[in-house]
Every structure is written in C-alpha cells, then in structure tokens.
Amino acid sequence: MGTINLRVMVNLSGGTGEELKKTVAVMKEVILPVLVFANMNYDDLNTPDSGTRGRAAEEDVKNGAQGLKIFKNFGMDLKIAGGARARGRSGV
C-alpha cells in the first residue's frame, strides 16, 4: 500500500457480535493498521428486550471494535411499532 501512500484503513461496517469478531480477525492479517467500527443491530427494535443493545456494544469493544458507525437508516426509514421513526433520545 506504500505506492498509494495508504497508511490506515477504516472499515465502517464491521458488524456486531460474531460477525465483528470474524471481521477483526481477518483485518488483523492486513499489513497496514486497520480501524474496525461496530454497527448496531436493530432487528429486535420492537421487542421488550431491545435495551440490551448497549451491552452488545460493550462486548463489541472487548472484541476489537474501535468505533461505532450508525447507519443512515436510523432516524430515516427505521420504524418502531406504530410507524414512527426511531430516535436516539427515546431509547430506541
């Protein structure tokens, strides 16, 4: 990567959980420094146990995530029960 002067690569879509672990493992094999960002999983958005997302993010950091990428669908087209858009301050 020296020919194009690339010094650090950033992967913004590292996933979460086991997917993140695999991504970090593969990226560690790359010669140059790589920053892997975790992503939130909103599949459980309308379930009573959706508050565990913060614990999942903590686990992702332990598994090598160096940042968090919130995708554009959060707040745009991601809906909670009843059809309202998801918002950060309400806890969903």
Side-chain angles (χ1 to χ4, degrees):
M1 297 294 186
T3 57
I4 60 173
N5 201 26
L6 182 64
R7 298 178 188 206
V8 175
M9 183 170 34
V10 179
N11 179 340
L12 294 175
S13 55
T16 187
E18 289 300 315
E19 180 184 0
L20 177 83
K21 278 185 183 180
K22 290 177 187 175
T23 301
V24 169
V26 168
M27 291 295 176
K28 283 185 176 180
E29 296 175 11
V30 178
I31 296 171
L32 63 134
V34 178
L35 302 175
V36 179
F37 281 46
N39 311 119
M40 300 297 255
N41 182 339
Y42 298 107
D43 291 345
D44 65 346
L45 187 63
N46 291 304
T47 64
D49 199 30
S50 65
T52 61
R53 200 168 289 112
R55 287 192 294 272
E58 287 178 14
E59 194 66 27
D60 287 342
V61 169
K62 290 177 187 173
N63 290 327
Q66 295 169 291
L68 175 66
K69 164 70 176 165
I70 305 292
F71 289 111
K72 291 178 186 177
N73 71 326
F74 185 84
M76 293 181 73
D77 63 343
L78 189 66
K79 307 282 176 133
I80 59 173
R85 281 187 236 167
R87 298 182 299 154
R89 302 267 311 144
S90 66
V92 289

